[in-house]
Amino acid sequence: ASRGCPFSCSYCISSTFEGVRYFPMERVKSDLLKLINAGVKQVKFVDRTFNCNNRRAKEIIRYVIENSKKTNFHFEAAGDLFDDELIRLLLRAPEGIIQLEIGVQSINTQTHSEIRRKTDINKLFDNVRKLRSKDNIHIHLDLIAGLPYETCERFKDSFNEVFSLRAKEVQLGFLKMLRGTNLRK
């Protein structure tokens, strides 16, 4: 539904491009309907931050809920950007339709500052708890090992805090020094 990212996290390849480009909503809906009608089991949105525009995110989620038969939809989302209306909408989704991948990366504010990641960890955690309240959405939370200021002890704290949210999965990635990123420079 979109390409690019509004953020500039210094480890991410998306930070090497500026801005977000959106596909026309009618095209998105038309493409989704073709995939649903073809019986596709899972559609993975590759949008870097699916919910960076909550109005569009709500429209797509509403469309998916209204039209999905058995197709599962995977979205990469920023957990602190969900508003209450979007959370209520997600909680209405039938079980198995929605899958969210939420990047926490670290709970260390010094790390977030160093990597230029703007995340309200408290709001992210609150929103994940709200989304987990009904257990209809498959949630997995991402962490990255090896970020600046993430000692073994601090990473353990991040892991334990994220694990305590009881998401379906905790995904552990290792920092990659991607060409062109500020972190590599």
Side-chain angles (χ1 to χ4, degrees):
S2 69
R3 295 296 176 266
C5 185
F7 305 110
S8 54
C9 303
S10 65
Y11 59 85
C12 184
I13 198 71
S14 292
S15 69
T16 63
F17 305 97
E18 200 168 310
V20 180
R21 300 177 323 276
Y22 297 101
F23 290 102
M25 187 57 73
E26 288 312 310
R27 175 188 167 183
V28 172
K29 289 178 179 179
S30 171
D31 289 349
L32 287 173
L33 196 55
K34 287 175 190 169
L35 294 168
I36 291 168
N37 289 336
V40 171
K41 290 184 181 190
Q42 184 177 56
V43 173
K44 273 193 165 186
F45 279 71
V46 293
D47 307 56
R48 287 293 121 217
T49 309
F50 171 75
N51 62 326
C52 66
N53 179 324
N54 264 330
R55 182 189 56 75
R56 282 181 61 86
K58 289 172 199 169
E59 189 170 351
I60 292 169
I61 295 292
R62 206 172 282 113
Y63 189 80
V64 161
I65 290 171
E66 292 169 359
N67 291 282
S68 181
K69 295 171 178 94
K70 294 188 182 206
T71 303
N72 169 270
F73 295 87
H74 175 101
F75 303 97
E76 291 183 29
D80 59 332
L81 296 184
F82 291 114
D83 64 17
D84 287 338
E85 182 183 355
L86 182 52
I87 289 173
R88 283 191 303 273
L89 180 62
L90 287 163
L91 290 174
R92 286 194 351 235
E95 186 174 349
I97 298 289
I98 305 290
Q99 185 170 313
L100 297 175
E101 178 179 343
I102 298 173
V104 179
Q105 316 322 6
S106 170
I107 65 164
N108 183 345
T109 55
Q110 187 180 18
T111 296
H112 279 241
S113 177
E114 183 66 22
I115 62 173
R116 301 181 196 162
R117 185 167 178 85
K118 294 176 173 92
T119 302
D120 181 337
I121 289 293
N122 292 326
K123 187 169 183 189
L124 185 153
F125 276 44
D126 286 344
N127 286 342
V128 168
R129 285 184 195 99
K130 289 175 189 175
L131 290 166
R132 289 265 306 117
S133 69
K134 190 174 171 196
D135 206 29
N136 63 322
I137 299 169
H138 178 98
I139 298 173
H140 84 251
L141 304 173
D142 294 343
L143 288 170
I144 299 176
L147 291 170
Y149 302 109
E150 252 325 81
T151 63
C152 284
E153 194 61 34
R154 284 185 171 177
F155 184 78
K156 182 175 125 184
D157 293 341
S158 287
F159 180 86
N160 287 337
E161 287 292 321
V162 168
F163 189 77
S164 75
L165 291 172
R166 304 185 59 76
K168 299 278 188 206
E169 288 180 51
V170 174
Q171 179 173 294
L172 171 59
F174 294 92
L175 179 63
K176 297 165 197 71
M177 302 301 268
L178 301 174
R179 194 170 310 199
T181 62
N182 283 322
L183 194 58
R184 181 169 174 161
K185 290 176 190 168

